[in-house]
Amino acid sequence: EWSEILFKVLERKELAPTEYEILVEAPRIASKAQPGQFVILRIDEQGERIPLTVVDTDKEAGWVRLIFQVIGKSTAQLATVMAGEGLSDIVGPLGKATDIENYGTVLLVGGGVGIAALFPIVKGLKEAGNRVITVLGAKNKELLILKEECAEYSDELILMTDDGSVGQKGLVTQAMEEVFQRETITMAWAIGPSIMMKFCTLTAQKYDVPIYVSLNPIMIDGTGMCGGCRVTVADSIKFACVDGPEFLGEEVDWNEFVNRMQQYRPEEVLANERYEK
Ligand code: NAD
Ligand code: FES
């Protein structure tokens, strides 16, 4: 039956409670994907389209590495796909790649499962010759994913947890303050929950440092046609799937973004309840 499957899951691993990593065989995407880009996959032909950042690739082996958190019906279903099984389709790479160049000293901030989307940027900026300072934050030690991978490509790594179970107790914005006070940072990135990215933007603005954020609104087609991923940036309408996902934090209309993120919450809860039955 799996002979009809186009995209095989080569490996599957639980990274943290409710967070999973899969390696998917997709050689053409692996050969092209750049840091900052994403894919949209479907588990089967009736499936919802799930956008996920490409965390890493292996061009020779032909796989892409994806990390997701179980947050609703479709991600719960994705967590049941085992190694050796497959996905009906995966399209990409989508979105604009991160502007990787040598800026000097850069600050990279990742929160929760957003660390997965930050990692390829950490790696890309380090390989481009930057001095990389990375701040990772999560609720607790178990949820602080990709510590070793980020450490490998960072000149300095600061860990923050809400409960103090690893690193310092506090928010990522506290670590940002501490870094901004002692370093000249040319460029910053923040990826995580919307509220975190909003406050990271305010913190960077205080020190006049430009900061990129990666927006993850609801996406359907991923090609700029459905309008589902509409965001307001610098007072104009942009589509996160084609114009982003990265935008300058200071230009994002955060109130609109946070509101739109909650728009389908009742339907999402209902779909999940039906699935769990
Ligand atoms: P979380 O809620 O545990 O937050 C992670 C860290 O963000 C915290 O430990 C804290 O340091 C920081 N943070 C949170 N609120 C903050 C505030 N008000 N001020 C300063 N810092 C704050 O993270 P989680 O549960 O893993 O996050 C899941 C969310 O991340 C989902 O909403 C998902 O949509 C989003 N997400 C975003 C992206 C993206 O590309 N932007 C990618 C994956 C997930
Ligand atoms: Fe449809 Fe972006 S996902 S326009």
Side-chain angles (χ1 to χ4, degrees), residues 214-270:
S214 178
L215 301 184
N216 60 329
I218 285 180
M219 290 191 185
I220 303 161
D221 63 312
T223 59
M225 288 193 285
C226 74
C229 67
R230 174 171 63 83
V231 290
T232 304
V233 178
D235 296 321
S236 59
I237 290 178
K238 299 280 180 197
F239 297 119
C241 68
V242 286
D243 302 316
E246 275 176 38
F247 296 100
L248 280 171
E250 64 189 56
E251 296 184 344
V252 173
D253 181 336
W254 288 105
N255 290 340
E256 181 196 73
F257 182 67
V258 171
N259 284 333
R260 275 180 63 83
M261 288 292 278
Q262 288 158 359
Q263 212 169 17
Y264 295 100
R265 207 54 214 139
E267 287 83 354
E268 287 164 3
V269 170
L270 192 67

Side-chain angles (χ1 to χ4, degrees), residues 15-17 19 138-145 147 161 165-166:
L15 284 188
E19 291 177 18
K139 290 189 184 74
N140 57 45
K141 187 180 173 184
E142 281 188 302
L143 293 168
L144 215 158
I145 58 171
K147 291 187 261 302
T161 46
S165 52
V166 68

Side-chain angles (χ1 to χ4, degrees), residues 111-273:
V113 70
I115 295 170
L118 187 82
F119 171 67
I121 305 174
V122 170
K123 187 176 172 185
L125 287 168
K126 181 66 197 164
E127 287 174 349
N130 291 276
R131 185 164 160 258
V132 175
I133 303 178
T134 305
V135 173
L136 304 180
K139 290 189 184 74
N140 57 45
K141 187 180 173 184
E142 281 188 302
L143 293 168
L144 215 158
I145 58 171
L146 307 181
K147 291 187 261 302
E148 289 77 24
E149 287 91 334
C150 288
E152 191 182 336
Y153 296 98
S154 303
D155 294 274
E156 189 184 340
L157 179 70
I158 304 172
L159 306 180
M160 303 294 296
T161 46
D162 300 359
D163 68 355
S165 52
V166 68
Q168 300 166 52
K169 182 175 176 162
L171 300 173
V172 290
T173 41
Q174 285 166 248
M176 287 178 78
E177 289 270 358
E178 188 266 314
V179 172
F180 283 138
Q181 280 169 16
R182 64 171 154 91
E183 298 277 346
T184 305
I185 303 292
T186 324
M187 200 71 209
W189 277 259
I191 308 185
S194 329
I195 191 75
M196 178 199 109
M197 295 192 288
K198 175 182 170 176
F199 282 101
C200 289
T201 299
L202 294 173
T203 307
Q205 274 182 295
K206 243 172 79 178
Y207 295 90
D208 277 327
V209 177
I211 186 165
Y212 282 111
V213 296
S214 178
L215 301 184
N216 60 329
I218 285 180
M219 290 191 185
I220 303 161
D221 63 312
T223 59
M225 288 193 285
C226 74
C229 67
R230 174 171 63 83
V231 290
T232 304
V233 178
D235 296 321
S236 59
I237 290 178
K238 299 280 180 197
F239 297 119
C241 68
V242 286
D243 302 316
E246 275 176 38
F247 296 100
L248 280 171
E250 64 189 56
E251 296 184 344
V252 173
D253 181 336
W254 288 105
N255 290 340
E256 181 196 73
F257 182 67
V258 171
N259 284 333
R260 275 180 63 83
M261 288 292 278
Q262 288 158 359
Q263 212 169 17
Y264 295 100
R265 207 54 214 139
E267 287 83 354
E268 287 164 3
V269 170
L270 192 67
N272 197 37
E273 281 169 4

